[in-house]
Amino acid sequence: MRGLVPPPAFCGFLLLLALMFTVSYVVGAAAGPVARGMHGDSGDSGGSGGADSDDMDDMDAGDTGGPLGAGR
């Protein structure tokens, strides 16, 4: 019967692993989505399939994004 019981260190590891997953889930749920629009909309039919082009409106056409504004 004693051979069927897992070692206490293994049980402690599983308990610690479950605790870490629980804490990370709670922290992630409290923080919310990391970017706008990452949550799914239930009314979306999936028609366009592309990204929002509104996010790109404020970009400067001459800026290459290089170090120290190299494209300006």
Side-chain angles (χ1 to χ4, degrees), residues 3-71:
L4 297 176
V5 177
F10 182 68
C11 293
F13 171 73
L14 290 180
L15 182 64
L16 181 64
L17 191 63
L19 180 68
M20 288 177 57
F21 275 115
T22 303
V23 169
S24 67
Y25 177 80
V26 168
V27 169
V34 293
R36 184 174 37 138
M38 283 194 67
H39 56 84
D41 293 333
S42 59
D44 187 18
S45 63
S48 67
D52 290 337
S53 61
D54 295 338
D55 295 339
M56 302 293 279
D57 289 342
D58 296 335
M59 290 186 66
D60 184 19
D63 186 16
T64 62
L68 301 175

